[in-house]
Amino acid sequence: MTSIPRHQPGEPNPLRALTLDQLRRRTSMKWRTYPADVLPLWVAEMDVPLAEPVARAVVDAMELGDTGYPVGTAYAEALAAFAGKRWGWDDLAVERTAIVPDVMLGVVEMLKLVTGPGDPVVVNPPVYPPFYQFVTHMDRRVVEAPLGADLRIDLGILEGAFRRAVADGGRAAYLLCSPHNPTGTVHTAEELAGVAALAERYGVRVVADEIHAPVVTAGARFVPYLSVPGAERGLALMSASKGWNLAGLKAALALAGPGAAADLARMPEEVGHGPSHVGVLAHTAALRDGAAWLDAVLSGIDENRRLLTDLLAEHLPGVVHHPGEATYLAWLDCRALGLGDDPADVFLHRGRVALSSGIPFGTGGAGHVRLNLAASPEVIREAVRRMTAALA
């Protein structure tokens, strides 16, 4: 599988399109959870207008009254074409896909197919907090396999977790975050092949959350888990949600390797009733016609990543930041600042800037914060200014 060049830049940076006053008119979680004097850089929403092809698809649906139930494979076909162009992955089988309400609800349904109540699910902390919340809510137990000191999957640690997970003879799953949230780590083909080999050796079923797959830097290569040797029994979830800021337009796709097709076929029919038809139309349009817009966003995120690195070096040199190769999230190690286990609380109350606390991300999260880079450069500068002022 070869890496495919991106479209040439041609669109303006969407992260510069909206003013702070315009953004504060939004009624979503990012903008209404905290008081108006708090600068929000926490939850994974981007400060961008809709991509024009997506807006057009939604408006056309409204004008037609096309607000019924979703049907068909257009979304999966658009993802298959995008995967071929973007990642050189030509083996995404449309017939082994299913529409699900969103990625995390899709994760729940996939885990139900391959595990039962009380069974273990392995995760790699620090990791997206819903991995803990959703897994435990569905009566599974979390087994941690922490990332290594380099913030990458440590296959030795993972093997130990697999061994513990299957020790009592039950069914076990591994919930893989790829690319990894919050670190922005892009797993290599070799690492993923190692994961697949371990999973087969221990009989662990892999469910890969690949929601951030489109949000990868120009110098990195995203590798779909189902494309690596040995992953034939794997399951994956993908969506246009993160790449095109469509969290409120619910729709995602579950994908099965050839050895998991029968598992996916057992998914209850009613799960497919959960996605929004308008969401499916929006995600399809994004994948089919939104590549140039996505590239403009990715360029802006890259600029913000470099800007944050420079600002931290100048104003908060005690913060350790290893810029990731994916996502629009920055994982900041603030332990040297002496702010305790929850520096996000200090930054919120002293600096009036909202970041995600590292504690809910599991082992390795204490003393860290996650910062959302999908904002204008001016907002990033103001956030660092407020963080600095919080230490005064």
Side-chain angles (χ1 to χ4, degrees):
M1 185 172 64
T2 57
S3 181
I4 305 299
R6 291 183 178 162
H7 290 210
Q8 292 300 311
E11 294 205 9
N13 181 358
L15 293 169
R16 295 179 178 269
L18 301 174
T19 67
L20 201 52
D21 286 342
Q22 289 174 311
L23 290 165
R24 290 198 182 279
R25 291 168 53 194
R26 292 184 168 180
T27 59
S28 63
M29 181 183 290
K30 180 176 183 180
W31 293 98
R32 293 302 169 97
T33 296
Y34 295 101
D37 67 325
V38 172
L39 192 66
L41 285 91
W42 62 293
V43 72
E45 297 180 22
M46 292 199 287
D47 296 348
V48 292
L50 272 181
E52 192 277 333
V54 176
R56 185 172 64 246
V58 172
V59 170
D60 287 349
M62 296 301 102
E63 291 178 346
L64 286 170
D66 189 8
T67 54
Y69 298 106
V71 69
T73 59
Y75 187 0
E77 291 165 8
L79 177 59
F82 181 86
K85 293 175 183 176
R86 201 76 169 186
W87 309 315
W89 184 31
D90 297 319
D91 297 324
L92 194 162
V94 171
E95 65 273 17
R96 293 198 304 272
T97 66
I99 300 173
V100 293
D102 60 32
V103 164
M104 280 310 302
L105 290 178
V107 163
V108 167
E109 294 301 328
M110 299 304 98
L111 290 174
K112 285 179 180 178
L113 294 175
V114 298
T115 65
D119 284 337
V121 177
V122 177
V123 303
N124 299 124
V127 72
Y128 185 49
F131 277 26
Y132 292 90
Q133 298 159 351
F134 282 65
V135 167
T136 55
H137 182 69
M138 61 184 294
D139 194 24
R140 272 59 170 176
R141 57 186 175 89
V142 172
V143 175
E144 291 191 332
L147 297 176
D150 57 358
L151 302 180
R152 307 198 70 86
I153 294 172
D154 184 312
L155 293 178
I157 292 174
L158 187 64
E159 181 172 15
F162 282 4
R163 188 180 297 115
R164 295 194 304 276
V166 301
D168 61 1
R171 295 187 293 172
Y174 171 39
L175 183 48
L176 169 67
C177 193
S178 180
H180 197 84
N181 172 6
T183 64
T185 304
V186 177
H187 309 306
T188 67
E190 292 74 19
E191 288 169 334
L192 293 175
V195 165
L198 285 176
E200 284 302 297
R201 184 183 309 165
Y202 287 92
V204 175
R205 299 299 297 276
V206 177
V207 177
D209 173 351
E210 298 180 328
I211 195 171
H212 286 278
V215 191
V216 174
T217 64
R221 175 189 169 208
F222 169 72
V223 179
Y225 177 71
L226 296 183
S227 72
V228 302
E232 290 79 11
R233 294 204 308 145
L235 295 158
L237 286 303
M238 285 190 172
S239 168
S241 175
K242 290 297 181 279
W244 287 268
N245 203 44
L246 304 179
L249 288 166
K250 293 287 189 180
L253 285 165
L255 292 71
D263 295 307
L264 186 61
R266 290 188 291 105
M267 189 175 72
E269 179 187 351
E270 61 266 23
V271 175
H273 297 172
S276 159
H277 175 51
V278 177
V280 170
L281 297 175
H283 287 243
T284 302
L287 291 163
R288 187 181 58 216
D289 301 318
W293 185 93
L294 174 65
D295 285 340
V297 168
L298 295 180
S299 178
I301 293 168
D302 284 346
E303 291 175 11
N304 283 353
R305 196 176 284 112
R306 292 190 293 270
L307 173 63
L308 178 66
T309 298
D310 292 343
L311 290 171
L312 292 176
E314 181 179 357
H315 300 288
L316 291 169
V319 174
V320 178
H321 174 220
H322 300 288
E325 294 181 312
T327 81
Y328 48 79
L329 307 165
W331 185 238
L332 308 182
D333 182 348
C334 303
R335 288 174 293 181
L337 300 182
L339 302 179
D341 286 346
D342 194 8
D345 185 68
V346 177
F347 290 132
L348 174 61
H349 290 98
R350 294 185 194 171
R352 309 307 287 166
V353 56
L355 309 173
S356 296
S357 169
I359 294 173
F361 289 80
T363 297
H368 292 70
V369 299
R370 192 189 72 177
L371 182 149
N372 185 339
L373 288 164
S376 70
E378 291 73 25
V379 166
I380 300 298
R381 290 191 184 93
E382 176 63 11
V384 175
R385 187 196 69 77
R386 292 186 183 204
M387 291 167 69
T388 305
L391 304 183

